[in-house]
Amino acid sequence: MRRPVIAANWKMNKKIEEAQAFLDEFIPLVWNEREVDIVIAPPFTALYTMANLLRITNIGLAAQDLFYEDKGAYTGEISPVMLTDIGCSYVIIGHSERRIYFGETDEIVNKKFRAARRHGLEVIFCIGESLSEREAGMTFDVLKRQISEGIRDISSDGLIIAYEPVWAIGTGKTATPDQAQEAHESIRKTLSHLYGEPAKGVRILYGGSVTPENADVLMACPDVDGALVGGASLKADSFAGIVKYNKQ
Ligand code: PGA
């Protein structure tokens, strides 16, 4: 059995005070949730405060990115050493917004992945095709390339992949359960070529306009093992609604 992961990606939203207010409301809503791993990725500026507030809760803390060197003359960057230092245990790597707006290539993503692993951070590794790639029938080739380049020299232990079709992110256009299952199945097939049997243990999350309303049908897909949630994770009641999707 793969334990589901429901992760919030706050992107460039929330000041410290707003993050605190979110937790005041959110923690009581999910404190007794034992069946899923809950993770929140606030912006860097709120990480330290959040680390202290989450210490004795069932909620894990993630950074939204890192740089692959441990220290040095890299103005503006944050290293894995700094993230573990403040009590961060997860990091999101390869989000499509990083790839599109900040020029991250598969090679950079892989360097970041290896750096995170060196320091014991759990990685939520994002992949996904654009609308034009989907329309050109290239979805599975794109996913295969992103996986094989991105996880080069990475073991399958604790691997978490987030499939986020770019056309579904922040657009309100969720992939249908069939589209999600089809993509997740192809991802698991690629993983089983690379890793063999252990591919069955890899958790594959879906991301792209997940809401409390569509979480049940998406989570019911056999190869969907969780969700990476942007917009709908910004409000405590709506993110809690996703965490508490129907587990029957
Ligand atoms: P969304 O974002 O839920 O707002 O579509 C998801 C993501 O980018 O991780």
Side-chain angles (χ1 to χ4, degrees):
M1 265 305 278
R2 295 183 293 267
R3 187 175 159 83
V5 184
I6 304 291
N9 175 10
W10 284 355
K11 308 191 180 184
M12 199 170 71
N13 293 290
K14 290 197 194 295
K15 297 187 285 183
I16 290 174
E17 201 179 301
E18 293 165 327
Q20 283 169 326
F22 175 98
L23 291 184
D24 284 346
E25 197 185 336
F26 182 69
I27 291 171
L29 295 174
V30 300
W31 70 273
N32 61 352
E33 177 57 60
R34 293 281 169 265
E35 289 178 48
V36 308
D37 290 336
I38 308 169
V39 178
I40 301 180
F44 284 126
T45 47
L47 275 176
Y48 184 65
T49 308
M50 296 265 294
N52 289 321
L53 295 172
L54 294 180
R55 195 153 288 149
I56 50 157
T57 69
N58 54 340
I59 302 164
L61 184 65
Q64 296 174 17
D65 184 32
L66 52 62
F67 189 58
Y68 48 73
E69 296 292 347
D70 290 356
K71 62 177 182 174
Y74 302 100
T75 302
E77 294 298 324
I78 304 282
S79 80
V81 178
M82 295 165 175
L83 295 180
T84 52
D85 184 41
I86 59 158
C88 208
S89 42
Y90 294 82
V91 61
I92 297 173
I93 289 179
H95 192 280
S96 61
E97 286 152 13
R98 304 264 355 139
R99 295 178 191 257
I100 294 165
Y101 302 133
F102 304 98
E104 287 194 10
T105 60
D106 290 323
E107 192 190 347
I108 294 173
V109 168
N110 177 252
K111 278 182 162 178
K112 291 186 170 189
F113 205 148
R114 283 185 285 138
R117 277 284 176 95
R118 267 201 310 277
H119 292 279
L121 286 160
E122 293 213 51
V123 173
I124 299 177
F125 166 53
C126 301
I127 56 173
E129 81 287 1
S130 66
L131 183 59
S132 57
E133 288 164 340
R134 174 162 281 263
E135 286 174 348
M138 286 160 56
T139 299
F140 300 130
D141 293 332
V142 169
L143 298 179
K144 221 179 267 175
R145 191 206 73 227
Q146 290 175 335
I147 294 169
S148 50
E149 302 286 317
I151 63 175
R152 195 180 291 274
D153 299 326
I154 299 287
S155 79
S156 64
D157 297 342
L159 183 58
I160 303 174
I161 292 185
Y163 167 62
E164 299 202 304
V166 178
W167 48 270
I169 294 179
T171 57
K173 271 194 219 154
T174 324
T176 63
D178 284 351
Q179 284 172 323
Q181 173 56 25
E182 186 188 32
H184 284 225
E185 217 176 297
S186 89
I187 291 166
R188 204 173 301 283
K189 200 178 283 170
T190 302
L191 293 172
S192 59
H193 289 146
L194 294 167
Y195 295 127
E197 191 66 12
K200 288 190 182 149
V202 175
R203 293 182 288 179
I204 308 174
L205 321 186
Y206 169 79
S209 299
V210 176
T211 63
E213 289 72 37
N214 60 29
D216 288 353
V217 285
L218 288 163
M219 290 301 297
C221 300
D223 283 293
V224 174
D225 309 312
L228 181 56
V229 188
S233 74
L234 293 171
K235 288 214 167 84
D237 56 347
S238 118
F239 188 49
I242 298 172
V243 168
K244 291 172 170 294
Y245 72 90
N246 181 3
K247 317 233 173 14
Q248 298 311 309

